[in-house]
Amino acid sequence: MNKQVLESRAKAVSMMKQGVDVLIIGGGITGSGIFNALSNSGLKVALVEARDFASGTSSRSSKLIHGGLRYIANGQFSVVMDSVRERDFLIKHTDLVGKKNFLIPVDANSWSRNTLRFGLWLYSFFSKEIKAKWYSREELSAEYPFLAHTPQMGGYIYAEGVVNDARLVMDNIFSSIGERSWAINYAEVMSINFDGKRASSAMVVDKFTGDHFEVPFRFLVNSAGPWVGDIFRMMAHHYPELEEAAKLIKLSKGDHIIIKRDLFPVDIAIALRSPIDGRQVFIIPRGDVSIIGTTEKEYNGDPAMVSPDEADIQYLIDSVKSYVPGLKRSDVINAYSGLRPLFGKGDPGKISREYRIIKAGNTVNVVGGKLTTYRTIAIKISREILKKFDIKTEPAISLKYRRRIDDVKDEIIRQYGQMDDDEISYAYDVLYEGAVHADDILWRREGHFIFSEDSGRSKLDRCIDAMKRINGISEDEAERERINYLNLIYG
């Protein structure tokens, strides 16, 4: 591994060993948001992530910052209100979230026009920025000729936010690292120690060196996403209520498929109801592709091994093929699965999307929540933590990080030789953003795995060449990286 990276990592580990005020387990959107909100408080804060930052649910979403119209049908109005207001805020105040028009068509499988009118009226009531408007079939066909060949009988156009979810996580983390705040990936919590009834430290293994180190803390945040129950079980002997809580955690798997943009050549997303079961499904043009999703079913396997299954892929094809005429299995160029931890009993589709905060001793544990409302969760939890330390500062999220590639380009070339712009970007990912593997770079930092029509295949060789130069990996290691990346692409 690169000397500069190792030294930076060793410094962070050294500071963590001295003890922190708050240790955050989990480098997804919730953990990164809390890390960000606490980083300017004066507290010593550390975040550890067992894999790469954003490698779980937070890089496997529909890439939407949205209100969630279907939650209205479930009566989850507070979720919708919070989501709509957060959507408006993020669109207005960050470059990471863009506005995209969505069409909800009226057709034989949709909600009625009156039902949609009421739902979108509520949407508009909660939002100060975005309103919905009705368009007839003729108006839609004139504006979007491709839609003339679909079953739409008119529909409402409104707007939602779109985002690169993994990049949002990265920017939260890298905006926050400083003299009293440290974050490292590939550092897994193996156990939690107790001093009487208080959790006192975590034993962490560095997956690069194999070294185990102890991080003493005064307060613990468990935001481990699909692995939140594993952390519960580490503490269950001292906090029996967490053992009971772990039994109520359900993992809901959502699959997405990716198709080439030319199969859906319309610059508008669609939110339709599946003719199969009435579930809402999105078709979202992004970059060179369109993302179609999502499914929802309970998942009981290893979260690290989640992947799409053919039945769900076919379900998505059959759900949207009236709006993507001729769509067939061979048109699917990639697919991915994400897991959402839910808290409750029964059908995952009916369990509330409202997050749960479960307190035990000097720990706070977060279950559920949405990408859209990550700021709400982070600020609420951070506010409670600051009260524990008698700090009056109001927590806030600050996304000040910018990739400064031009500032270090000449130095990278001086140290590692001539590179093209892509290779310099990959080098930056390794040197300054903690990337280690090809998918860390091409999926979670550069976005090619999702947003490029070849899923990053054409970038892979140069990516690995950059990894050879920066990290000095061997030919055998390079070949393993190549194979591992290609195996992630769902054929």
Side-chain angles (χ1 to χ4, degrees), residues 109-180:
N109 303 296
S110 70
W111 289 297
S112 70
R113 181 176 174 180
N114 286 338
T115 300
L116 285 173
R117 182 189 294 119
F118 173 71
L120 288 166
W121 174 83
L122 275 177
Y123 234 45
S124 299
F125 178 77
F126 294 143
S127 173
K128 296 179 180 178
E129 305 290 335
I130 295 174
K131 309 299 179 184
K133 183 180 178 182
W134 169 263
Y135 291 82
S136 69
R137 173 177 173 78
E138 292 72 26
E139 289 171 322
L140 288 174
S141 299
E143 182 70 21
Y144 306 101
F146 182 81
L147 297 179
H149 308 290
T150 67
Q152 58 89 8
M153 295 179 286
Y156 285 97
I157 291 180
Y158 66 109
E160 299 279 27
V162 292
V163 69
N164 181 337
D165 48 5
R167 193 70 246 173
L168 183 61
V169 172
M170 300 296 168
D171 282 26
N172 270 277
I173 290 173
F174 296 122
S175 294
S176 310
I177 293 175
E179 292 182 359
R180 298 176 66 85

Side-chain angles (χ1 to χ4, degrees), residues 280-475:
Q280 189 174 58
V281 176
F282 295 109
I283 309 170
I284 312 162
R286 295 293 304 274
D288 297 334
V289 304
S290 290
I291 299 170
I292 299 171
T294 177
T295 60
E296 186 162 42
K297 64 170 59 172
E298 189 170 353
Y299 179 78
N300 295 306
D302 180 352
M305 302 300 292
V306 65
S307 65
D309 60 63
E310 285 297 323
D312 284 343
I313 288 174
Q314 192 60 50
Y315 165 87
L316 290 171
I317 293 170
D318 292 341
S319 292
V320 304
K321 62 185 179 183
S322 61
Y323 285 87
V324 190
L327 182 64
K328 53 190 181 297
R329 176 64 182 84
S330 58
D331 293 321
V332 176
I333 57 177
N334 200 354
Y336 63 94
S337 298
L339 294 175
R340 183 201 296 270
L342 304 175
F343 191 79
K345 297 179 180 179
D347 179 2
K350 300 297 183 183
I351 296 176
S352 173
R353 266 44 185 177
E354 292 191 83
Y355 59 90
R356 296 293 186 96
I357 298 174
I358 302 170
K359 301 174 185 177
N362 59 324
T363 77
V364 61
N365 306 271
V366 191
V367 183
K370 295 176 62 195
L371 181 71
T372 301
T373 54
Y374 90 93
R375 283 190 343 117
T376 302
I377 301 170
I379 290 171
K380 180 175 181 178
I381 291 173
S382 298
R383 187 181 291 127
E384 293 190 13
I385 291 172
L386 293 179
K387 286 180 181 178
K388 299 285 187 183
F389 290 94
D390 198 30
I391 294 175
K392 302 295 192 293
T393 304
E394 179 65 16
I397 300 289
S398 173
L399 296 176
K400 59 191 177 186
Y401 176 72
R402 298 292 182 271
R403 284 165 64 86
R404 307 290 185 187
I405 294 177
D406 287 344
D407 294 348
V408 297
K409 178 178 179 179
D410 291 344
E411 180 62 21
I412 289 174
I413 291 173
R414 187 185 70 79
Q415 288 196 46
Y416 303 104
Q418 190 63 41
M419 298 183 185
D420 64 25
D421 287 346
D422 281 351
E423 291 169 324
I424 290 171
S425 185
Y426 305 150
Y428 187 95
D429 296 335
V430 173
L431 292 169
Y432 298 99
E433 293 191 349
V436 177
H437 299 294
D439 57 306
D440 297 348
I441 296 171
L442 295 179
W443 185 343
R444 287 176 286 280
R445 286 160 184 79
E446 303 289 340
H448 297 303
F449 183 85
I450 300 292
F451 301 115
S452 299
E453 65 178 27
D454 70 349
S455 306
R457 287 182 178 89
S458 61
K459 306 288 187 179
L460 184 56
D461 284 344
R462 276 184 295 169
C463 174
I464 291 176
D465 284 345
M467 292 168 64
K468 286 180 183 177
R469 292 207 211 180
I470 304 301
N471 275 345
I473 63 174
S474 67
E475 288 297 332

Side-chain angles (χ1 to χ4, degrees), residues 9-22:
R9 186 179 180 87
K11 180 179 178 181
V13 170
S14 175
M15 299 306 293
M16 291 182 191
K17 286 179 178 180
Q18 295 176 34
V20 298
D21 295 308
V22 182

